[in-house]
Amino acid sequence: EHNNVTLGMVRDSLIRQEDTIVYSLIERARFPLNPPTYDPSYASIPGFGGSLLEFFVKQTEAVQAKAGRYDNPEEHPFFPDNLPPSLVPHYKYPEVLHPAAMSININKLIWDMYFNKLLPSFVSPGDDGNYALTAARDLECLQAISRRIHYGKLVAEVKFRDERKDYEPAIRAQDRFTLTNLLTFTNVEEAVKKRVAKKAMTFGQEVKLGDDGDKGKYKVDPAIVSGLYADWVIPLTKEVEIDYLLRRLN
Ligand SMILES: O=C(O)C(=O)C[C@]1(C(=O)O)C=C[C@@H](O)C=C1
């Protein structure tokens, strides 16, 4: 029945994932930037050259790999090299995607975007010492954003099946421009940007009894959330869709 997945179902999942992304940003914003988290010279972990953040992410991904997380085709590690194999029985996930999907992982780009552009824009400057919690919150943001962006593989597969005769010539010609036009729905993108701003207002308000609280004060700026979607999440989802489609007839 997984072969009957519709564009509506896929979009419902993208909408649901917005909740996770907005909440994870709110949770990260409880802490200031906490620069030592990212500073290799602060951590000085024996036998490990990187930052506390890198240490935390690599170790967490190793545990999760052993527990089978990356057997799920929707999950993509940030450090795929040298990950230990899964130690648990393999669940047979439905094979919906073309096998070439496995070779697509743009987490390097997502990582750089998150730490260089996004993070400094929505946390306050400062240092409260909570570096381990900070790293944990960062990884939750990264995983939620990565899952959403790589969901583009499934979005593209469904679109391809629905309109095969339009997509096939563009794929044969490896024509990114036509593929971009085929898969773009400007009205949907506008709705996504408005909805995530509204979610940031709804989830990020101070809930008070009695009066109506600090109107207009949010835990994460709604404009930053919709900007994140406009500048990064949607364009990178489309990049994954195109990367997938270009390989779809291999
Ligand atoms: O919903 C779709 O059709 C998608 O491809 C997802 C998405 C998005 O990232 O939100 C990307 C491209 C479309 O123009 C519209 C929305």
Side-chain angles (χ1 to χ4, degrees):
E1 72 286 0
H2 236 80
N3 284 328
N4 294 330
V5 67
T6 64
L7 189 53
M9 288 157 68
V10 170
R11 285 186 175 145
D12 283 345
S13 172
L14 294 180
I15 291 171
R16 168 64 188 81
Q17 292 180 54
E18 293 164 5
D19 300 5
T20 312
I21 291 174
V22 173
Y23 270 119
S24 67
L25 297 174
I26 289 172
E27 288 299 298
R28 174 61 184 85
R30 287 179 52 200
F31 298 104
L33 183 59
N34 281 336
T37 315
Y38 315 105
D39 179 355
S41 67
Y42 161 77
S44 50
I45 297 163
F48 186 83
S51 65
L52 179 63
L53 172 83
E54 278 163 23
F55 177 76
F56 185 88
V57 173
K58 284 183 179 166
Q59 296 280 326
T60 305
E61 287 195 335
V63 173
Q64 297 192 341
K66 288 191 251 183
R69 178 172 184 142
Y70 304 109
D71 287 352
N72 183 335
E74 289 176 17
E75 299 294 328
H76 299 76
F78 283 86
F79 295 100
D81 300 333
N82 309 316
L83 268 186
S86 167
L87 303 178
V88 298
H90 185 79
Y91 178 82
K92 221 164 147 15
Y93 291 94
E95 281 169 25
V96 184
L97 300 176
H98 187 281
M102 293 222 315
S103 65
I104 300 168
N105 179 342
I106 64 163
N107 273 342
K108 180 81 185 72
L109 261 171
I110 294 171
W111 179 279
D112 291 343
M113 175 279 289
Y114 178 80
F115 289 109
N116 298 332
K117 310 272 199 258
L118 181 61
L119 186 61
S121 75
F122 79 96
V123 298
S124 56
D127 182 340
D128 70 359
N130 284 308
Y131 312 137
L133 285 168
T134 296
R137 299 282 152 84
D138 281 329
L139 180 55
E140 270 163 23
C141 291
L142 285 166
Q143 287 176 329
I145 293 169
S146 170
R147 190 179 309 113
R148 195 285 184 193
I149 288 172
H150 288 100
Y151 214 74
K153 296 177 186 181
L154 186 59
V155 182
E157 175 62 24
V158 170
K159 288 178 180 172
F160 174 81
R161 288 185 195 178
D162 285 350
E163 281 163 62
R164 213 178 162 117
K165 64 173 190 333
D166 295 327
Y167 278 96
E168 278 194 2
I171 295 169
R172 289 221 175 74
Q174 296 285 292
D175 177 351
R176 284 178 164 267
F177 180 78
T178 303
L179 288 173
T180 305
N181 287 338
L182 282 170
L183 62 80
T184 296
F185 294 81
T186 312
N187 58 330
V188 176
E189 293 184 19
E190 290 311 312
V192 170
K193 287 184 250 172
K194 282 196 192 132
R195 192 174 47 245
V196 294
K198 190 165 180 183
K199 286 182 179 179
M201 290 180 199
T202 308
F203 305 159
Q205 66 190 309
E206 210 62 66
V207 177
K208 287 193 179 153
L209 299 176
D211 60 45
D212 29 17
D214 290 327
K215 276 250 164 69
K217 214 169 146 274
Y218 305 111
K219 292 167 186 163
V220 169
D221 183 351
I224 286 176
V225 178
S226 70
L228 162 71
Y229 266 77
D231 297 342
W232 298 103
V233 176
I234 294 172
L236 291 178
T237 302
K238 290 164 78 164
E239 188 59 38
V240 168
E241 291 187 44
I242 291 165
D243 287 350
Y244 178 80
L245 288 165
L246 289 171
R247 295 166 168 85
R248 181 58 180 77
L249 297 174
N250 288 1

